[in-house]
């Protein structure tokens, strides 16, 4: 038995590359987080999409709180050990009846990690049903290792460069990962996954936290930032990210700008490799 996951869930992750759904907090708490997100969006008059969809845990204490939720970190610890860095957070909200989708990809493609150990925890703030465009995965595909991706230009693909797997693989069997507000799904860095358009009448909002063990270094030429969220970092491969103290404060915005610019340079460098 792990700290959060059962032995069967841990074995399922090893065998198939994912686990879902897992409970973190109540639907009421999810509603409170969503309210904070929407209050911020109202001040900017835009979705927490482009410009804010990377690393908002550096801008908002409520996002930092979710990223450190014991249920989340206990599950991560069960899979990658006790010394944990939050490496990235990506948010791709989908409006009601939104044609936007995420094409078939592997998260490892972006990150340039050695070893490529990374786990994504996708926390739902609203209902992410199949109809609303939850994630869909190819069970067991994490065992295929890194596959080649090509850039697919499409205004509806939410991935920044439309990176999509462009080599054949067996996609005859897929599984959906529907999650309710306050629940999360877990997937491995090499797992092939996607998410479809939102065909429901409500917004689909979730936060995709990427965690790595402190020993996973980035092989790019830009020194990246990361936040130690549990344990100890004796490697020092990343500049420390400070926790946000006030929502969208000046210092928070300045650090966020710099961290995202570096992260973006890292993404561009990795993109040149596939
Ligand atoms: O938000 C989505 O629909 C897709 C998220 C995703 O691909 C990820 O978190 O790795």
């Amino acid at each position: 038995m792990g700290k959060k996951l059962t032995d069967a869930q841990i074995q399922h992750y090893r065998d198939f590359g994912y686990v879902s759904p897992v409970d973190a907090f109540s639907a009421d708490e999810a509603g409170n987080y969503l309210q904070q997100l929407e209050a911020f969006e109202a001040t900017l008059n835009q979705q927490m999409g482009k410009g804010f969809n990377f690393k908002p845990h550096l801008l908002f204490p409520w996002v930092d709180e979710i990223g450190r939720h014991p249920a989340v970190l206990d599950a991560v610890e069960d899979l990658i050990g006790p010394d944990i860095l939050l490496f990235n957070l990506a948010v791709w909200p989908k409006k009601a009846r939104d044609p936007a989708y995420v094409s078939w990809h592997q998260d490892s493609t972006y990150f340039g990690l050695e070893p490529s150990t990374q786990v994504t925890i996708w926390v739902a703030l609203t209902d992410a049903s199949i109809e609303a465009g939850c994630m869909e995965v190819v069970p067991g595909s994490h065992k295929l290792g890194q596959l080649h991706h090509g850039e697919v230009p499409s205004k509806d693909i939410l991935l920044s460069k439309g990176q999509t797997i462009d080599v054949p693989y067996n996609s005859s069997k897929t599984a959906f990962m529907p999650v309710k507000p306050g629940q999360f799904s877990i997937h491995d860095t090499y797992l092939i996954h996607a998410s479809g358009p939102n065909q429901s009448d409500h917004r689909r909002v979730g936060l995709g936290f990427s965690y790595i063990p402190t020993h996973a270094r980035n092989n790019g030429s830009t020194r990246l930032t990361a936040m130690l969220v549990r344990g100890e970092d004796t490697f020092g491969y990343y500049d420390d990210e400070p926790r946000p103290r006030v929502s969208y404060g000046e210092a928070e915005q300045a650090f966020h700008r710099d961290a995202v610019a570096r992260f973006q340079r890292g993404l561009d460098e990795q993109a040149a490799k596939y």
Side-chain angles (χ1 to χ4, degrees), residues 90-94 100-103 105-107 110-111 118 120-122 132-136 158-159 185 187-188 191 193-196 204-210:
V91 192
W92 288 300
K94 293 177 187 164
Y101 70 101
V102 173
S103 54
H105 70 282
Q106 296 168 303
D107 296 342
Y110 316 119
F111 294 154
Q118 178 261 323
T120 300
I121 300 277
W122 197 93
C134 71
M135 259 183 287
E136 186 177 2
L158 291 168
L159 298 167
S185 61
H187 65 267
D188 179 83
L191 191 74
H193 62 288
S195 73
R204 192 221 64 162
V205 182
L207 310 173
F209 293 91
S210 295

Side-chain angles (χ1 to χ4, degrees), residues 15 32 53 77 81 94-95 98 106-107 117 122 136 146 177 191 196 227 234-235 261 273:
D15 292 343
N32 286 337
N53 61 336
E77 181 170 341
K94 293 177 187 164
K95 296 178 187 143
D98 195 340
Q106 296 168 303
D107 296 342
T117 308
W122 197 93
E136 186 177 2
Q146 184 64 53
M177 299 201 292
L191 191 74
M227 191 185 279
T234 55
F235 295 91
K273 294 184 188 171

Side-chain angles (χ1 to χ4, degrees), residues 250-265:
E250 293 283 324
E252 283 78 0
Q253 289 185 57
F255 194 91
H256 177 253
R257 241 188 329 270
D258 175 55
V260 171
R262 292 199 226 177
F263 185 70
Q264 196 64 58
R265 278 203 294 280

